[in-house]
Amino acid sequence: MTTTEPKPGAKPTVATVTIDGREVTAKPGELLIKVAQEHGVYIPRFCWHERMKPVGMCRMCLVEVEGVRGFPPACTTTVTDGMVCHTQTDTVKKIQDGVLEFLLVNHPLDCPVCDRGGECPLQDQTLAFGPGESRFTEEKRHFEKPIPISDVVLLDRERCIQCARCTRFADEIAGDPLITFVDRGDRTEVLNFPDHPFASYFSGNTVQICPVGALTAKPYRFRARPWDLATVETSCTTCAVQCRGALQSSTDRLVRFLGVDSEPVNHGWLCDKGRYGFEYVHSETRVIEPQVREDGALVEKPWPEALDAAASILERTKSMHGPGAIAVLGGARGSNEDAYAWARLAKGVIGTDNVDAQLADGLPAEVVLGLPRAQIADLDHAAAIVLVGPDLKEELPVLHLRVRRAAVELKVPVIDFAFDGGSIPGSIAMRCAPGESGALAERLMSAVNSGAAVADDPIGRAAAAIRERDGAVIVVLGRASLAERPDHTLRAAAAFAALPQVGFLSALRRGNVHGALELGLAPGVLPGRVSLADGRAAFASAWGAVPETTGLDATGILRAAAAGKIHALVLVGCDPLADFPDRALVREAFEIVGSVIAVDAFLSDSVRQADVVLPVTLWGEKQGTVTNLEGRVQRLGRKVSPAGSAMDDWRIAGELALRLGSDFDLEQVDEVTDEIAKVAPAFAGATAELLRRARDGVVLPVAEHRSEIVLRAGGLTILADDGSGASWEPIRAVRDADETGAAAATDRSAEQDGEAHANATDVIAAAGPSSTPNLIVWDRSFGSPELPARDAYALRLVTGRTLYDGGRTVASSPAIAALARDVALLVSATDLARIGVDEGAIVKVTSQRTSLNLVVQVELRLPAGIARLYFTPDHEGAAELIDLSAPVTDIRVETLR
């Protein structure tokens, strides 16, 4: 065996460092505080946070390094080969005493009433590292307390220790520098700017990372104490990113949701809608008992009667009109297990393929499932990031943070196809009017492929960014506007799919829409990313039967219902009257359709049309799994008991199937998970046991991503094998840091490692390649509707959703309900002048569908000729104006006569 000697002068790839007499290895350049933590030595700190740049402000982490003058901060000191560090000498301890004594000079000793008491790093470190008593007896400073700096964040200024974690997060991570330090000396305090509240979508993260009780969350303040709380780790289902978090309850009520640092997903961050939106679970307006329509009114009934009534509707409709007369809409709000059970009921028992989890606001299932998939972490080392879709900050907020980090910190070029210039700092803005994204993408790809010198314009700069860097191009693909057909987006996707190295992240917003599509809640597909044609034989064997022909999507279902061809409509956790872009079509469908069965938790306008209402459990009340936009399957945690007699979706689907003559024989949610792993090709190996132990979930298909799976085994973190089965590479285990940032190390013995490896091998063994049908690959086909000529007097409408859209989660969560955006038509200053009214005036807005009277406001980023109207669930929003039969929506804006 030969070895290769390092070249003279080459930098070492591994540094040997001695910390408190213990020799460890690390990568040269890593921060000393992080290396120490990973090897079981906790150095106290306040200002340092692993996800932010080190600043060395608090001086709590001063250590002794041999050969270095003074006492350097461990949070700004990088390790070198041969470094010898001491963290527990008498001198270091004296420094720690002094720093803590200084911090407590003016800090109020109000721990018994402070919300941070019991989980406060200052409290913990004073006990662990501080002096036993204080020499100061002077009066402490006093401020008015608390003061609101936003609708959800309160500030107790006298508790602040000026660590700058909050201001640094707002500036570095969120890009919302809305809070800063003011004044000097002992009067220094954190404040927002006058008349500008801390209106960040990510403000709750500053509360979580504050090491004292200076920032507190208004919804949680005085609600519970840490020792009263029970916690379960789960995935947020507010949007399709599915951030990991810790859900906490007290007296069987959800009281707090904290971010958990998942490297591949959310880095510990949450948006405020996800953090505070759980309150809707306990809404007093929930439906918690089954209801059946009698004499024109919905009346509460026992479960057996309600299920019999629903099954009777389905059986009668099928026998009189055939299975194609039944359609299922929705399913993107539940778990994977729920989606699978509804797909099996619809396609395997009823026999209809008229199923769609999307409501004409996404992309065709064969595109989402058939494009080469990227992972969120791929953004960090991409050659370029291309954004073709909605405003990520509004619809997928934490994905926006990852893209922003890549652009700002990692210097990855971002190419933004946006009509208003985009929202990522430094992005190459490819201004793109509605209906033009596909043609613009083709022009960009022509410039990339030409090999010729490129012009100094947006297309030239974007082509250069793609050509000049190594690595894959990551395309974030979604609907930029619900007022235009998806064909233009598909044309752009087909252009970028021709790149030799490309990966796609589909920007669909609903919480588990990807899981629903993966598991067959779309026309023409079956569970596990297989087409109806390719998977017919396999699933007919597993289920007994599958539909013979491809069914209708949501738009087709509603058009067929309006034409009298759909006689029974099943709504699974969806409200078409609020969510569907063409509200006139929905109203027409509801007027004609014979029967409606609603499986929901609230009496929305759509559910009020139902003949039978079956109440379901919500997030926090159910177990199971979900799948995020990168195809990562993660577990849901159940923390509180279901309200009333609400039942899990998968159980309801099973009960209906039993009444229709098919027994699913599924009694526990893990049995559903295991059946999915058995019959759905992309889920092969994703068993309940593997998912319980996979620290960051598993990426589909499991067989292709097995080398990335990190397992929990006996309290330890183990890296799975490299895919060859020939080697194992264990990584050191550190208990997940809680919201205070403190972490405790865990030592392992060789014997424990060996046992953990063996267990992990047994679990992964089930994830081998499947012999079932091939997975869907998109053929890059798309429609190309002709765009109408631009009318000099008309504006082209753009509509998308906002984070606080006034939907069910926002409206039923008191903490964020007031943040819902008011409905207003946004135009450029040029167009406002042409209309001839002042900002704030009411104008008449007319489309092919109807006319609305709306307030008009100026948006500076909008170009002339384009109007923006955010999508809202009320009857004054964009859905009233949109006609889905048109490729784009043009509107006329006039003064009121």
Side-chain angles (χ1 to χ4, degrees), residues 534-810:
D534 289 345
R536 179 173 285 110
F539 278 87
S541 174
W543 288 354
V546 290
E548 291 297 323
T549 58
T550 299
L552 304 172
D553 63 6
T555 304
I557 287 170
L558 291 172
R559 285 175 178 163
K565 298 178 181 179
I566 296 292
H567 295 270
L569 187 60
V570 183
L571 304 179
V572 182
C574 72
D575 181 6
L577 280 168
D579 279 352
F580 195 80
D582 187 341
R583 194 165 287 142
L585 176 59
V586 181
R587 290 196 190 101
E588 189 178 355
F590 276 134
E591 288 174 1
I592 302 299
V593 72
S595 302
V596 177
I597 300 169
V599 185
D600 211 319
F602 293 91
L603 279 179
S604 64
D605 288 345
S606 299
V607 174
R608 289 189 180 93
Q609 312 287 324
D611 300 283
V612 181
V613 180
L614 305 176
V616 293
T617 55
L618 295 176
W619 178 79
E621 298 175 338
K622 64 168 64 184
Q623 292 178 313
T625 62
V626 287
T627 306
N628 77 351
L629 54 81
E630 61 183 342
R632 185 178 301 276
V633 182
Q634 304 177 108
R635 285 185 66 83
L636 291 175
R638 173 176 168 172
K639 194 67 226 60
V640 294
S641 303
S645 65
M647 192 184 297
D648 289 349
D649 285 75
W650 66 268
R651 287 187 180 277
I652 295 173
E655 290 288 345
L656 292 175
L658 189 62
R659 284 163 170 78
L660 295 175
S662 179
D663 186 359
F664 287 175
D665 192 24
L666 300 170
E667 297 183 358
Q668 301 292 331
V669 68
D670 283 355
E671 294 180 30
V672 189
T673 309
D674 288 340
E675 181 169 314
I676 293 171
K678 180 180 178 181
V679 305
F683 287 78
T687 61
E689 180 186 2
L690 175 60
L691 292 168
R692 271 194 301 271
R693 293 168 57 184
R695 190 186 66 185
D696 296 309
V698 300
V699 179
L700 302 177
V702 178
E704 295 179 11
H705 297 276
R706 60 189 299 184
S707 62
E708 303 165 14
I709 300 174
V710 181
L711 298 182
R712 292 187 180 99
L716 306 177
T717 303
I718 306 297
L719 186 65
D721 65 43
D722 61 2
S724 67
S727 65
W728 287 92
E729 182 187 353
I731 60 175
R732 292 181 174 85
V734 177
R735 191 181 66 191
D736 289 341
D738 63 13
E739 70 279 2
T740 68
T746 304
D747 291 323
R748 302 181 307 181
S749 67
E751 182 180 352
Q752 287 174 316
D753 275 346
E755 181 181 356
H757 294 173
N759 292 339
T761 303
D762 293 339
V763 175
I764 297 288
S770 173
S771 58
T772 48
N774 293 326
L775 304 188
I776 292 173
V777 177
W778 182 42
D779 61 6
R780 303 186 195 174
S781 62
F782 55 88
S784 184
E786 291 291 329
L787 292 176
R790 297 296 294 267
D791 186 337
Y793 296 97
L795 301 179
R796 192 142 285 178
L797 182 66
V798 169
T799 185
R801 302 178 192 270
T802 64
L803 188 66
Y804 303 123
D805 56 4
R808 179 63 60 188
T809 300
V810 173

Side-chain angles (χ1 to χ4, degrees), residues 25-287:
T25 58
K27 293 180 180 178
E30 279 194 283
L31 293 176
L32 176 57
I33 193 171
K34 188 171 186 292
V35 172
Q37 176 178 288
E38 290 178 346
H39 290 85
V41 178
Y42 180 75
I43 300 174
R45 80 296 296 264
F46 292 114
C47 68
W48 184 72
H49 190 283
E50 185 174 354
R51 297 300 181 184
M52 292 187 284
K53 297 174 184 176
V55 290
M57 291 179 62
C58 70
R59 321 307 285 178
M60 190 65 205
C61 66
L62 300 185
V63 293
E64 203 170 346
V65 178
E66 292 185 7
V68 176
R69 294 182 60 185
F71 299 90
C75 71
T76 60
T77 302
T78 56
V79 298
T80 59
D81 191 37
M83 174 184 282
V84 178
C85 172
H86 304 282
T87 71
Q88 300 178 17
T89 64
D90 291 340
T91 306
V92 171
K93 290 181 179 179
K94 185 175 181 180
I95 291 172
Q96 293 168 349
D97 283 354
V99 171
L100 286 166
E101 189 174 31
F102 177 75
L103 291 177
L104 294 173
V105 167
N106 272 311
H107 193 85
L109 301 181
D110 59 351
C111 302
V113 297
C114 176
D115 269 325
R116 202 61 160 161
E119 56 183 8
C120 172
L122 179 60
Q123 188 182 54
D124 294 340
Q125 293 184 40
T126 298
L127 294 173
F129 303 99
E133 59 186 64
S134 174
R135 294 173 292 170
F136 292 92
T137 59
E138 289 80 9
E139 181 72 11
K140 297 178 183 288
R141 63 185 175 188
H142 298 283
F143 291 102
E144 175 189 353
K145 60 177 293 186
I147 61 171
I149 59 173
S150 78
D151 288 279
V152 292
V153 177
L154 302 175
L155 171 64
D156 290 87
R157 290 169 288 177
E158 70 278 7
R159 295 176 184 165
C160 181
I161 60 172
Q162 285 88 53
C163 68
R165 274 189 171 193
C166 58
T167 59
R168 287 155 51 212
F169 170 84
D171 187 15
E172 293 178 20
I173 307 297
D176 297 325
L178 302 173
I179 52 175
T180 189
F181 285 116
V182 300
D183 293 335
R184 296 182 178 181
D186 68 337
R187 309 305 295 180
T188 301
E189 56 185 282
V190 171
L191 278 180
N192 54 301
F193 296 96
D195 302 321
H196 290 82
F198 185 29
S200 171
Y201 286 171
F202 311 100
S203 65
N205 294 292
T206 64
V207 175
Q208 181 168 336
I209 64 176
C210 177
V212 291
L215 295 175
T216 52
K218 186 177 179 181
Y220 177 74
R221 192 175 173 98
F222 301 138
R223 291 286 304 278
R225 304 311 300 262
W227 49 85
D228 297 328
L229 301 176
T231 304
V232 67
E233 187 172 325
T234 189
S235 289
C236 177
T237 55
T238 301
C239 78
V241 177
Q242 295 179 359
C243 303
R244 295 298 288 174
L247 185 60
Q248 299 181 325
S249 68
S250 178
T251 62
D252 206 33
R253 288 185 68 87
L254 302 178
V255 296
R256 188 166 65 166
F257 187 49
L258 300 170
V260 168
D261 196 330
S262 173
E263 170 61 36
V265 182
N266 62 313
H267 284 179
W269 312 129
L270 299 173
C271 73
D272 285 357
K273 183 178 179 181
R275 185 179 294 273
Y276 303 119
F278 63 81
E279 293 177 315
Y280 87 107
V281 173
H282 302 298
S283 172
E284 295 180 357
T285 62
R286 272 190 68 176
V287 178

Side-chain angles (χ1 to χ4, degrees), residues 317-393:
T317 303
K318 181 178 178 180
S319 63
M320 293 178 61
H321 305 286
I326 300 172
V328 179
L329 281 179
R333 299 295 189 191
S335 66
N336 288 340
E337 291 72 18
D338 297 335
Y340 174 78
W342 283 112
R344 183 175 174 183
L345 172 67
K347 302 187 179 190
V349 178
I350 298 173
T352 179
D353 194 47
N354 299 327
V355 177
D356 201 351
Q358 302 184 89
L359 295 180
D361 54 0
L363 301 171
E366 63 270 16
V367 178
V368 177
L369 302 178
L371 281 168
R373 193 79 63 97
Q375 296 183 38
I376 293 174
D378 293 339
L379 297 168
D380 297 344
H381 48 79
I385 300 170
V386 181
L387 305 181
V388 183
D391 186 342
L392 295 183
K393 192 171 184 179

